[in-house]
Amino acid sequence: MEGILRDEKISEMIPFDYSEPVLFFPVRHHSPTCSYHLMNTIKEYKPDCILVEGPVNANKLIGVLTSKGTKPPVAFYYYYKDTAKYVNEDAQDYKCYYPFLSMSPEYNVLRYASLNGIECSFIDLPYGEILINTAEGKGLRKKQEVSSYSDEHYLSESKYFKALCEKTGMRDFEEFWETYFETGALSMSTKEYVKALYTYCIITRNNTPEEEMKEDGCLVRESYMADCIRQAEKTHSRVLVVTGGFHSYGLYSLRKGLTKPQKYRVHKFTEKVQDVYAMPYSYEAADALGGYSSGMQNPWFYQQVWDNIEICDKPDADEIYGGVLMDMLVECAKRCTKNKLLITMSDITSAVTMYEGLAMLRGKKAAGLYDLYDGVQSSFIKGELNANSSLPLDILSQIATGSGIGELCDEAEKVPIVRDFEEKAKKYKLKIDSVNQEKIELDIFSKPLHMEISRFFYRMYFIRAPFAWREKGADIINNIDRSRIREIWTYQRNVSTDSSLIDVSVNGATIEEACCSTAAGRLRTEQKCSEASKIYVESFLMGINTTDGFSKNMLDIINNDGDFFSIGKGVYYFNTLCSLRKLYKVPERDEVLFLRKCFDKIIVMLPSMINVNDDHSSECIKVCRMLYGLVNGGVLSDKREVLIEAFETMTEKPDPSPSVLGAVVGLLYGSDKIYKRKIRELVSGYLSGTTEMKKQGAVFIRGLFSTARDIALVGDEFIRITDELIDDFDMIDFMEILPELRLAFSYFTPSETDSIAKKAATLYNYDFASLLCDTPDIDPEIYALGLELEKEILDERGE
């Protein structure tokens, strides 16, 4: 491996000569040793111009990034709104992050240039142009939760690297990089280090198909950067170019005329379409394992390495890494002890011996993070590694990742939506500077300001900005605790709050604008009435007005949705919205129209639902009960006859679901007692059938009682029928239908259950009072055993 990385033929393809007018320096984002050798290069080369890989529209933020008041980690947040459909026909919004830590080579070189009056700038295509020149699913257009500008997948996913892993026995790219370009790099001269990195990057590039680089936007970006380098050469004699190592040879080849450049066009986009902001970032967010697709894993570990390197004239790998490893090992042991996992001094000594020995066996210049993990696993974990024993490794990972959050200088322009958030928080006297969670109780009906605060919290929740959580209060969406008139919220601002707000800043300069745009965008793409109608209720809770475009989209969704249950949800949400407008004394808008549209559509589908399978029968019954309530004193009272006719049609269909049939005839019975005869006929039919038919009779009764439980309370006819049904089963069959019977009688209140029990007792000539007293005593020993078992179960569950 050492021989490959020092291959003179390959590394000399790009001369690293301090006499050159243009000097290319390859880096990996967040690498402390890259920063170390880069700073050495600057001092030796003494450039009068420094060019850094990064979208040129961020040049306005270099002053903010390098200001004394800015404390990394920070990030540039890029966004592009494809309103002109240059990327594709979907007209999507795009965003990505470019994080900077104080160990990042790009940050260090820009800061040095700023402090020493050296001209510096970014030289890559603007973010939107990169997207336009990238194929679907490639590069910055990959489907991923967090999009990173400086994606380094070429270095870690190439065929060459996979072969290299097999040859060297490395587990992954991070272990390979740590071994050869971190722990081993401090003992190299800068020229040796650059040549080794050139060798790896050039071989990787030679094993990457040109078509793949073209689809990723790599080649067109290099063509643009090469033009920027040529422009700088015209006015400067010593130009230092700092880019990802993969691009170095591409840029060198273009500059020398060895390859043909790609054509490109730079559009003139307004700030509403494309812009970039600086924002505080966190070590957790910058972690390569935390969703950020570029940079180093466990950044706090490498940050400590960089901090130690900076204070040394001639840093020694053993000394630098040894000190950081020991600090983290001791901290891990302390936290394990706090978590009731005792780690002794002997365990710590054993771990040190293990990671030092492993580093030696692996041929490393110094022990690194991977060796530390292996040492902790072997010395702190007693027995097999599993989910229950992995605490030491989990703690070590937390320590090595870090939890710090950066700061921006006072001169930094705040993203408008973040500024709006802070202004609203100040208006509502919310404590957003506190590190603790805060609670607030809102009396939303008697205090207008409390209503505003509630709407503010709902808006933050809607745009998925983690800030406030409702602890208590009416849950209108899920139909829980709707009678509550007060709300209790917990809130806390953190770095995720701001980053999430910045994520949606493409949708508006204020939180209200972002909510309106987000709701409209979701409606444009939504196909289910259930979700679309839910957005309407959420909009009401947020206090935002739906637009005329909302209405057209909603009508189209209702007309095109053929899902019975989805339309049923629409009926529920629009009916809820009608009730809310009355409760809050707010004028009605389109919800009545939508409710009628949903009702008309669901009535057509209703008769076929009599054959619904058992998995959806309960949900179907809920819809039937809801429809019945709407036509009996609700906003659709004029539709009563239509619904009754649909119910009657359902009872005439063959092969009905017994529970749905029972519920429907129960509703018909509620509308007119003459349907009692129909119920009697249906029950008789089940009683006279086979055993399987009788089992369905129990299911029928469950459905019947769900909508017409009073039928069992008036007289004793249905008690006798139920008794006759039960009596005809043997013990095995009875145990099979028992769950259905339990569910059937769960619809009754305790007093109603007592009334039914009295009728059942009379049926068998039992005295109800004495029947309750005849309950056999529980054996004290069995009771004591039960208590003991319960205690053991609770202890096992940690309760």
Side-chain angles (χ1 to χ4, degrees), residues 335-356:
R335 295 193 190 183
C336 285
T337 302
K338 285 182 180 179
N339 283 273
K340 299 180 181 180
L341 177 63
L342 180 62
I343 302 298
T344 66
M345 185 59 68
S346 175
D347 294 328
I348 296 175
T349 303
S350 175
V352 173
T353 303
M354 179 61 72
Y355 69 64
E356 288 180 345

PDB file of all heavy atoms in Angstrom, residues 335-356:
ATOM      1  N   ARG A 335     -18.590   8.474  32.070  1.00  0.00           N
ATOM      2  CA  ARG A 335     -20.017   8.454  31.709  1.00  0.00           C
ATOM      3  C   ARG A 335     -20.616   7.066  31.887  1.00  0.00           C
ATOM      4  O   ARG A 335     -21.794   6.938  32.236  1.00  0.00           O
ATOM      5  CB  ARG A 335     -20.201   8.938  30.271  1.00  0.00           C
ATOM      6  CG  ARG A 335     -19.821  10.398  30.070  1.00  0.00           C
ATOM      7  CD  ARG A 335     -20.314  10.910  28.726  1.00  0.00           C
ATOM      8  NE  ARG A 335     -19.752  12.215  28.422  1.00  0.00           N
ATOM      9  CZ  ARG A 335     -20.064  12.918  27.329  1.00  0.00           C
ATOM     10  NH1 ARG A 335     -20.917  12.414  26.438  1.00  0.00           N
ATOM     11  NH2 ARG A 335     -19.514  14.092  27.103  1.00  0.00           N
ATOM     12  N   CYS A 336     -19.837   6.038  31.623  1.00  0.00           N
ATOM     13  CA  CYS A 336     -20.321   4.666  31.850  1.00  0.00           C
ATOM     14  C   CYS A 336     -20.641   4.471  33.332  1.00  0.00           C
ATOM     15  O   CYS A 336     -21.672   3.896  33.689  1.00  0.00           O
ATOM     16  CB  CYS A 336     -19.267   3.646  31.408  1.00  0.00           C
ATOM     17  SG  CYS A 336     -19.120   3.443  29.626  1.00  0.00           S
ATOM     18  N   THR A 337     -19.754   4.970  34.201  1.00  0.00           N
ATOM     19  CA  THR A 337     -19.967   4.844  35.645  1.00  0.00           C
ATOM     20  C   THR A 337     -21.216   5.592  36.072  1.00  0.00           C
ATOM     21  O   THR A 337     -21.985   5.116  36.909  1.00  0.00           O
ATOM     22  CB  THR A 337     -18.741   5.381  36.411  1.00  0.00           C
ATOM     23  OG1 THR A 337     -17.581   4.652  35.989  1.00  0.00           O
ATOM     24  CG2 THR A 337     -18.926   5.204  37.911  1.00  0.00           C
ATOM     25  N   LYS A 338     -21.447   6.773  35.496  1.00  0.00           N
ATOM     26  CA  LYS A 338     -22.664   7.535  35.805  1.00  0.00           C
ATOM     27  C   LYS A 338     -23.916   6.777  35.378  1.00  0.00           C
ATOM     28  O   LYS A 338     -24.992   6.964  35.955  1.00  0.00           O
ATOM     29  CB  LYS A 338     -22.625   8.893  35.107  1.00  0.00           C
ATOM     30  CG  LYS A 338     -21.680   9.885  35.749  1.00  0.00           C
ATOM     31  CD  LYS A 338     -21.736  11.225  35.037  1.00  0.00           C
ATOM     32  CE  LYS A 338     -20.788  12.228  35.687  1.00  0.00           C
ATOM     33  NZ  LYS A 338     -20.815  13.545  34.995  1.00  0.00           N
ATOM     34  N   ASN A 339     -23.756   5.927  34.363  1.00  0.00           N
ATOM     35  CA  ASN A 339     -24.877   5.119  33.891  1.00  0.00           C
ATOM     36  C   ASN A 339     -24.907   3.732  34.553  1.00  0.00           C
ATOM     37  O   ASN A 339     -25.457   2.787  33.999  1.00  0.00           O
ATOM     38  CB  ASN A 339     -24.809   4.970  32.365  1.00  0.00           C
ATOM     39  CG  ASN A 339     -25.272   6.216  31.640  1.00  0.00           C
ATOM     40  OD1 ASN A 339     -26.452   6.386  31.377  1.00  0.00           O
ATOM     41  ND2 ASN A 339     -24.322   7.093  31.336  1.00  0.00           N
ATOM     42  N   LYS A 340     -24.269   3.648  35.736  1.00  0.00           N
ATOM     43  CA  LYS A 340     -24.288   2.442  36.562  1.00  0.00           C
ATOM     44  C   LYS A 340     -23.586   1.261  35.912  1.00  0.00           C
ATOM     45  O   LYS A 340     -23.942   0.108  36.129  1.00  0.00           O
ATOM     46  CB  LYS A 340     -25.733   2.061  36.931  1.00  0.00           C
ATOM     47  CG  LYS A 340     -26.448   3.146  37.735  1.00  0.00           C
ATOM     48  CD  LYS A 340     -27.880   2.726  38.084  1.00  0.00           C
ATOM     49  CE  LYS A 340     -28.588   3.824  38.862  1.00  0.00           C
ATOM     50  NZ  LYS A 340     -29.977   3.454  39.223  1.00  0.00           N
ATOM     51  N   LEU A 341     -22.595   1.564  35.060  1.00  0.00           N
ATOM     52  CA  LEU A 341     -21.744   0.519  34.502  1.00  0.00           C
ATOM     53  C   LEU A 341     -20.319   0.808  34.980  1.00  0.00           C
ATOM     54  O   LEU A 341     -19.646   1.705  34.467  1.00  0.00           O
ATOM     55  CB  LEU A 341     -21.807   0.517  32.969  1.00  0.00           C
ATOM     56  CG  LEU A 341     -20.893  -0.497  32.263  1.00  0.00           C
ATOM     57  CD1 LEU A 341     -21.284  -1.923  32.637  1.00  0.00           C
ATOM     58  CD2 LEU A 341     -20.954  -0.310  30.752  1.00  0.00           C
ATOM     59  N   LEU A 342     -19.894   0.097  35.985  1.00  0.00           N
ATOM     60  CA  LEU A 342     -18.610   0.375  36.623  1.00  0.00           C
ATOM     61  C   LEU A 342     -17.443   0.005  35.705  1.00  0.00           C
ATOM     62  O   LEU A 342     -17.337  -1.123  35.233  1.00  0.00           O
ATOM     63  CB  LEU A 342     -18.495  -0.398  37.943  1.00  0.00           C
ATOM     64  CG  LEU A 342     -17.186  -0.182  38.714  1.00  0.00           C
ATOM     65  CD1 LEU A 342     -17.043   1.290  39.115  1.00  0.00           C
ATOM     66  CD2 LEU A 342     -17.151  -1.085  39.947  1.00  0.00           C
ATOM     67  N   ILE A 343     -16.593   0.990  35.449  1.00  0.00           N
ATOM     68  CA  ILE A 343     -15.375   0.776  34.669  1.00  0.00           C
ATOM     69  C   ILE A 343     -14.188   1.028  35.604  1.00  0.00           C
ATOM     70  O   ILE A 343     -14.026   2.120  36.168  1.00  0.00           O
ATOM     71  CB  ILE A 343     -15.304   1.732  33.468  1.00  0.00           C
ATOM     72  CG1 ILE A 343     -16.532   1.557  32.572  1.00  0.00           C
ATOM     73  CG2 ILE A 343     -14.022   1.499  32.687  1.00  0.00           C
ATOM     74  CD1 ILE A 343     -16.675   0.188  31.952  1.00  0.00           C
ATOM     75  N   THR A 344     -13.359   0.035  35.788  1.00  0.00           N
ATOM     76  CA  THR A 344     -12.228   0.137  36.717  1.00  0.00           C
ATOM     77  C   THR A 344     -10.990   0.686  36.016  1.00  0.00           C
ATOM     78  O   THR A 344     -10.926   0.756  34.779  1.00  0.00           O
ATOM     79  CB  THR A 344     -11.904  -1.239  37.306  1.00  0.00           C
ATOM     80  OG1 THR A 344     -11.431  -2.096  36.245  1.00  0.00           O
ATOM     81  CG2 THR A 344     -13.133  -1.869  37.950  1.00  0.00           C
ATOM     82  N   MET A 345      -9.991   1.056  36.819  1.00  0.00           N
ATOM     83  CA  MET A 345      -8.717   1.505  36.266  1.00  0.00           C
ATOM     84  C   MET A 345      -8.059   0.399  35.461  1.00  0.00           C
ATOM     85  O   MET A 345      -7.396   0.658  34.445  1.00  0.00           O
ATOM     86  CB  MET A 345      -7.789   1.966  37.405  1.00  0.00           C
ATOM     87  CG  MET A 345      -6.478   2.577  36.911  1.00  0.00           C
ATOM     88  SD  MET A 345      -6.743   4.013  35.835  1.00  0.00           S
ATOM     89  CE  MET A 345      -7.422   5.179  37.031  1.00  0.00           C
ATOM     90  N   SER A 346      -8.283  -0.838  35.908  1.00  0.00           N
ATOM     91  CA  SER A 346      -7.739  -1.983  35.166  1.00  0.00           C
ATOM     92  C   SER A 346      -8.356  -2.061  33.770  1.00  0.00           C
ATOM     93  O   SER A 346      -7.667  -2.376  32.794  1.00  0.00           O
ATOM     94  CB  SER A 346      -8.014  -3.276  35.942  1.00  0.00           C
ATOM     95  OG  SER A 346      -7.602  -4.403  35.196  1.00  0.00           O
ATOM     96  N   ASP A 347      -9.665  -1.768  33.671  1.00  0.00           N
ATOM     97  CA  ASP A 347     -10.339  -1.782  32.361  1.00  0.00           C
ATOM     98  C   ASP A 347      -9.750  -0.707  31.445  1.00  0.00           C
ATOM     99  O   ASP A 347      -9.539  -0.948  30.246  1.00  0.00           O
ATOM    100  CB  ASP A 347     -11.842  -1.543  32.530  1.00  0.00           C
ATOM    101  CG  ASP A 347     -12.534  -2.664  33.267  1.00  0.00           C
ATOM    102  OD1 ASP A 347     -12.094  -3.818  33.132  1.00  0.00           O
ATOM    103  OD2 ASP A 347     -13.533  -2.392  33.971  1.00  0.00           O
ATOM    104  N   ILE A 348      -9.490   0.468  32.010  1.00  0.00           N
ATOM    105  CA  ILE A 348      -8.926   1.560  31.217  1.00  0.00           C
ATOM    106  C   ILE A 348      -7.524   1.197  30.728  1.00  0.00           C
ATOM    107  O   ILE A 348      -7.171   1.387  29.555  1.00  0.00           O
ATOM    108  CB  ILE A 348      -8.891   2.865  32.044  1.00  0.00           C
ATOM    109  CG1 ILE A 348     -10.321   3.306  32.377  1.00  0.00           C
ATOM    110  CG2 ILE A 348      -8.152   3.965  31.290  1.00  0.00           C
ATOM    111  CD1 ILE A 348     -10.389   4.511  33.294  1.00  0.00           C
ATOM    112  N   THR A 349      -6.719   0.641  31.641  1.00  0.00           N
ATOM    113  CA  THR A 349      -5.363   0.219  31.271  1.00  0.00           C
ATOM    114  C   THR A 349      -5.404  -0.837  30.179  1.00  0.00           C
ATOM    115  O   THR A 349      -4.610  -0.810  29.223  1.00  0.00           O
ATOM    116  CB  THR A 349      -4.626  -0.329  32.504  1.00  0.00           C
ATOM    117  OG1 THR A 349      -4.612   0.666  33.529  1.00  0.00           O
ATOM    118  CG2 THR A 349      -3.205  -0.723  32.152  1.00  0.00           C
ATOM    119  N   SER A 350      -6.336  -1.759  30.319  1.00  0.00           N
ATOM    120  CA  SER A 350      -6.491  -2.822  29.319  1.00  0.00           C
ATOM    121  C   SER A 350      -6.866  -2.251  27.958  1.00  0.00           C
ATOM    122  O   SER A 350      -6.356  -2.696  26.925  1.00  0.00           O
ATOM    123  CB  SER A 350      -7.552  -3.813  29.792  1.00  0.00           C
ATOM    124  OG  SER A 350      -7.806  -4.793  28.804  1.00  0.00           O
ATOM    125  N   ALA A 351      -7.751  -1.246  27.961  1.00  0.00           N
ATOM    126  CA  ALA A 351      -8.175  -0.638  26.701  1.00  0.00           C
ATOM    127  C   ALA A 351      -7.011   0.074  26.020  1.00  0.00           C
ATOM    128  O   ALA A 351      -6.844  -0.015  24.791  1.00  0.00           O
ATOM    129  CB  ALA A 351      -9.320   0.343  26.953  1.00  0.00           C
ATOM    130  N   VAL A 352      -6.188   0.779  26.814  1.00  0.00           N
ATOM    131  CA  VAL A 352      -5.013   1.468  26.254  1.00  0.00           C
ATOM    132  C   VAL A 352      -4.049   0.462  25.635  1.00  0.00           C
ATOM    133  O   VAL A 352      -3.564   0.645  24.510  1.00  0.00           O
ATOM    134  CB  VAL A 352      -4.297   2.293  27.346  1.00  0.00           C
ATOM    135  CG1 VAL A 352      -2.995   2.864  26.789  1.00  0.00           C
ATOM    136  CG2 VAL A 352      -5.198   3.417  27.846  1.00  0.00           C
ATOM    137  N   THR A 353      -3.762  -0.601  26.381  1.00  0.00           N
ATOM    138  CA  THR A 353      -2.875  -1.650  25.866  1.00  0.00           C
ATOM    139  C   THR A 353      -3.424  -2.233  24.575  1.00  0.00           C
ATOM    140  O   THR A 353      -2.674  -2.486  23.614  1.00  0.00           O
ATOM    141  CB  THR A 353      -2.709  -2.769  26.913  1.00  0.00           C
ATOM    142  OG1 THR A 353      -2.212  -2.211  28.130  1.00  0.00           O
ATOM    143  CG2 THR A 353      -1.769  -3.845  26.410  1.00  0.00           C
ATOM    144  N   MET A 354      -4.760  -2.426  24.538  1.00  0.00           N
ATOM    145  CA  MET A 354      -5.391  -3.031  23.361  1.00  0.00           C
ATOM    146  C   MET A 354      -5.286  -2.110  22.143  1.00  0.00           C
ATOM    147  O   MET A 354      -4.863  -2.553  21.065  1.00  0.00           O
ATOM    148  CB  MET A 354      -6.858  -3.338  23.665  1.00  0.00           C
ATOM    149  CG  MET A 354      -7.621  -3.958  22.502  1.00  0.00           C
ATOM    150  SD  MET A 354      -6.947  -5.541  21.962  1.00  0.00           S
ATOM    151  CE  MET A 354      -7.442  -6.584  23.360  1.00  0.00           C
ATOM    152  N   TYR A 355      -5.662  -0.820  22.284  1.00  0.00           N
ATOM    153  CA  TYR A 355      -5.661   0.023  21.074  1.00  0.00           C
ATOM    154  C   TYR A 355      -4.236   0.342  20.611  1.00  0.00           C
ATOM    155  O   TYR A 355      -3.988   0.485  19.412  1.00  0.00           O
ATOM    156  CB  TYR A 355      -6.531   1.272  21.218  1.00  0.00           C
ATOM    157  CG  TYR A 355      -6.115   2.369  22.165  1.00  0.00           C
ATOM    158  CD1 TYR A 355      -4.949   3.101  21.977  1.00  0.00           C
ATOM    159  CD2 TYR A 355      -6.961   2.747  23.213  1.00  0.00           C
ATOM    160  CE1 TYR A 355      -4.597   4.134  22.825  1.00  0.00           C
ATOM    161  CE2 TYR A 355      -6.625   3.792  24.069  1.00  0.00           C
ATOM    162  CZ  TYR A 355      -5.445   4.492  23.866  1.00  0.00           C
ATOM    163  OH  TYR A 355      -5.109   5.532  24.697  1.00  0.00           O
ATOM    164  N   GLU A 356      -3.287   0.416  21.533  1.00  0.00           N
ATOM    165  CA  GLU A 356      -1.897   0.624  21.111  1.00  0.00           C
ATOM    166  C   GLU A 356      -1.354  -0.608  20.401  1.00  0.00           C
ATOM    167  O   GLU A 356      -0.654  -0.506  19.384  1.00  0.00           O
ATOM    168  CB  GLU A 356      -1.033   0.979  22.317  1.00  0.00           C
ATOM    169  CG  GLU A 356      -1.284   2.367  22.862  1.00  0.00           C
ATOM    170  CD  GLU A 356      -0.414   2.693  24.065  1.00  0.00           C
ATOM    171  OE1 GLU A 356       0.175   1.744  24.635  1.00  0.00           O
ATOM    172  OE2 GLU A 356      -0.306   3.886  24.427  1.00  0.00           O
TER     173      GLU A 356
END
